[in-house]
Amino acid sequence: MGRPTGAPTGAGRTLARGPARGSPARGEAYAALDLGTNNCRLLIARPSGRDFTVIDAFSRVVKLGEGLATTGRLSDEAMDRALGALSICADKLRRRNVRLARSVATEACRRAENGAEFIERVRRETGIALDIISAEEEARLAVLGCHILLEAGEGPAMIFDIGGGSTELVLLEAGDAEGRRVPRILDWQSVPWGVVSLTDTVGEDDGRECEAGQAGRIERYARMRELVRESFSDFAERIGDASRASDIRLLGTSGTVTTLASIHLDLPHYDRRAVDGLIVNSDDMRAISARLSGLSPAQRCALPCIGNDRADLVVAGCAILETILDLWPAARLGVADRGIREGILRSMMAADRQGERALKKLRERPQG
């Protein structure tokens, strides 16, 4: 199969067509693809001033990292699921007027023994060249994609991203009042616990409705919390002084926080417009987490905005979230339904604008 329009090459980024220099032609789009441990997501957008307008999107749960924590490898079934989703992405890239695209893979491909082999298979079968990014780059892109949703304030801020295979925490300095400038990263940490890796390591809920099943769920949740707490310990020590400031702020970007926010709002089905940018009392999120951790898989599955795909994984997300709230006890939690993909789009568009300004200066320079 030939390379789809806009599919990245080399380091995961390429000009698809149109002018190689100067501003993009009218109607041309940018694309960002994020293959995570649990989800495959694509966003295609056109510039709109200093922001962008989304013209196409795709998201599918692929569970690429399922079983990785115990085997160290991506399973054939997981790779097939991911390839199915990536084939749909490749078709979308072909049909849209994509000028520049970047496709990234995260923790599952970083950790898997056969990660590089899978990346090559994806390139061969779909034409999409995935760039396995570092945890540091993943954290930076998440901040770039969602920092504008941080609450206004003078104190330090924390942004976190609970993924499928890892969780990134980023300590930030105070940003500008309007949130336009990207705040400087003061410290960051990535731990190998996400909703998939933590669930696989501790084991799935046995689903029993009896008293023994309830006791088992309490013990299982406590084990999850302890594993995450241990992995955060060095970071918690480094940021201890900042966490005790009077005006600390917290923003989360992940399926966990958007799902819990949906439950908090009692939504009958997920609504991004209601969730993205929401500010919730941290105690309310703790209460929801505690409630979900005590329910059976069938009971969780019956709740709106959870369903089969998240029925068990959401408990691991709750354990990670509660441990983050222990580490960074902000009174309120901001919710972002945006992150890596938006960060990729903003970085590509900013680079194009910078290149356009440089070219303009060059053209205006006196000759001779």
Side-chain angles (χ1 to χ4, degrees):
M1 180 184 295
R3 185 178 309 283
T5 300
T9 58
R13 180 172 171 174
T14 187
L15 282 168
R17 62 169 174 251
R21 303 171 70 180
S23 60
R26 183 176 179 85
E28 285 190 328
Y30 296 74
L33 190 156
D34 171 22
L35 179 64
T37 302
N38 197 47
N39 293 277
C40 176
R41 299 184 179 99
L42 172 70
L43 209 57
I44 303 176
R46 291 194 182 104
S48 178
R50 296 190 66 83
D51 205 343
F52 56 80
T53 300
V54 174
I55 61 172
D56 205 348
F58 173 78
S59 179
R60 176 178 291 180
V61 174
V62 295
K63 297 183 180 179
L64 179 62
E66 188 174 51
L68 175 62
T70 54
T71 68
R73 296 180 60 82
L74 303 175
S75 71
D76 291 339
E77 294 82 2
M79 289 189 288
D80 287 344
R81 287 193 299 265
L83 277 163
L86 289 166
S87 294
I88 295 173
C89 293
D91 183 60
K92 286 180 175 292
L93 288 169
R94 268 189 291 267
R95 289 188 286 106
R96 294 292 183 175
N97 187 26
V98 174
R99 164 185 170 83
L100 192 62
R102 188 182 184 193
S103 303
V104 303
T106 56
E107 184 68 8
C109 291
R110 283 197 297 262
R111 293 181 62 188
E113 294 175 7
N114 57 340
E117 177 184 332
F118 172 66
I119 294 296
E120 174 56 27
R121 181 183 170 192
V122 169
R123 186 201 62 76
R124 188 172 62 249
E125 296 186 17
T126 71
I128 294 175
L130 289 162
D131 175 18
I132 303 179
I133 59 174
S134 68
E136 183 175 10
E137 173 71 355
E138 186 176 352
R140 187 191 70 82
L141 288 171
V143 169
L144 186 60
C146 70
H147 74 91
I148 59 173
L149 295 181
L150 272 170
E151 272 194 289
E154 298 300 323
M158 179 80 70
I159 291 180
F160 66 88
D161 182 359
I162 302 173
S166 66
T167 293
E168 282 68 47
L169 303 99
V170 187
L171 176 65
L172 304 170
E173 66 175 358
D176 65 315
E178 296 181 352
R180 292 184 181 277
R181 180 175 63 84
V182 181
R184 184 167 62 93
I185 295 176
L186 302 177
D187 201 348
W188 71 283
Q189 181 72 53
S190 178
V191 299
W193 298 122
V195 295
V196 176
S197 57
L198 189 57
T199 300
D200 285 350
T201 298
V202 176
E204 294 187 355
D205 191 330
D206 60 18
R208 291 185 294 172
E209 301 284 352
C210 61
E211 185 175 337
Q214 176 70 14
R217 279 188 280 278
I218 293 172
E219 181 180 351
R220 177 173 176 263
Y221 192 65
R223 175 61 176 154
M224 287 182 171
R225 294 262 274 130
E226 181 60 27
L227 286 172
V228 179
R229 185 182 302 110
E230 290 173 357
S231 69
F232 285 166
S233 59
D234 289 344
F235 185 64
E237 185 174 347
R238 295 201 306 268
I239 67 168
D241 290 342
S243 69
R244 291 186 286 272
S246 60
D247 186 27
I248 62 174
R249 296 163 294 149
L250 183 63
L251 176 66
T253 168
S254 70
T256 294
V257 292
T258 56
T259 297
L260 268 59
S262 300
I263 295 172
H264 171 76
L265 295 173
D266 199 23
L267 297 178
H269 52 80
Y270 185 72
D271 183 352
R272 183 183 188 273
R273 294 170 298 178
V275 169
D276 187 49
L278 183 70
I279 305 295
V280 186
N281 287 333
S282 296
D283 286 345
D284 291 341
M285 296 296 259
R286 282 189 183 274
I288 295 170
S289 296
R291 174 191 167 204
L292 292 178
S293 69
L295 298 179
S296 70
Q299 290 170 324
R300 292 191 296 269
C301 184
L303 292 174
C305 303
I306 292 186
N308 286 321
D309 287 336
R310 292 192 178 275
D312 206 30
L313 299 180
V314 72
V315 175
C318 290
I320 297 169
L321 174 60
E322 282 213 78
T323 311
I324 292 171
L325 291 172
D326 291 343
L327 178 151
W328 193 258
R332 295 174 302 280
L333 169 64
V335 179
D337 185 354
R338 60 182 75 186
I340 292 175
R341 292 173 304 163
E342 288 81 1
I344 291 172
L345 289 174
R346 292 185 189 284
S347 63
M348 289 192 296
M349 291 177 188
D352 259 10
R353 288 194 299 269
Q354 185 176 8
E356 182 182 350
R357 287 193 298 268
L359 185 59
K360 183 179 179 181
K361 288 182 180 179
L362 185 63
R363 286 171 174 166
E364 292 174 349
R365 182 179 299 172
Q367 301 297 313

